Amino acid sequence: MTDSALDPEDRKIVTLARSARARNGVPEGAAVRDETGRTYVAGTVALDSLKLSALRTAVAMAVASGATSLEAAAVVTDAEGALAEDLAAVRDLGGAGTPVLVAGPDGAVRLTVSAG
């Protein structure tokens, strides 16, 4: 998928995820968009007592802020795809059909998968 084929709102969450990764110097950045269009951005959390992927952190931030559903999610990572645990978190809030955009560090979307 080329960047120009992305919906502007999807391009926005990929850009936000990429920015979080770069700004915080973490392995992954993620962003999710809730049912009202609000976005939640996070990076990987790697504390001795708490380890969360960027995507699970972004979903947790959405839940903590009162979101009841997700429209889309994006993760910027060196990995080839999204982890099953990350997809499960997106599915728990957004449903099985929620699209998850997986992009490389350059922001280019490698694939889009459903959370289900």
Side-chain angles (χ1 to χ4, degrees), residues 92-113:
D92 285 348
L93 186 58
T98 306
V100 178
L101 297 101
V102 180
D106 61 356
V109 175
R110 292 188 200 129
L111 71 141
T112 301
V113 297

Side-chain angles (χ1 to χ4, degrees):
M1 168 181 293
T2 64
D3 190 50
S4 61
L6 282 179
D7 171 274
E9 291 299 314
D10 289 344
R11 189 175 309 116
K12 175 182 170 182
I13 62 172
V14 171
T15 300
L16 289 169
R18 185 175 183 220
S19 295
R21 181 181 186 268
R23 178 178 58 251
N24 298 324
V26 292
E28 294 182 341
V32 298
R33 185 176 60 248
D34 74 9
E35 73 283 359
T36 68
R38 291 179 297 181
T39 55
Y40 306 88
V41 182
T44 307
V45 174
L47 301 173
D48 288 340
S49 63
L50 179 65
K51 301 204 183 313
L52 290 172
S53 70
L55 194 49
R56 280 179 270 168
T57 303
V59 170
M61 291 173 65
V63 170
S65 297
T68 59
S69 185
L70 294 178
E71 290 181 349
V75 61
V76 174
T77 180
D78 286 322
E80 293 300 313
L83 296 174
E85 296 90 350
D86 290 348
L87 295 176
V90 172
R91 183 175 57 247
D92 285 348
L93 186 58
T98 306
V100 178
L101 297 101
V102 180
D106 61 356
V109 175
R110 292 188 200 129
L111 71 141
T112 301
V113 297
S114 70

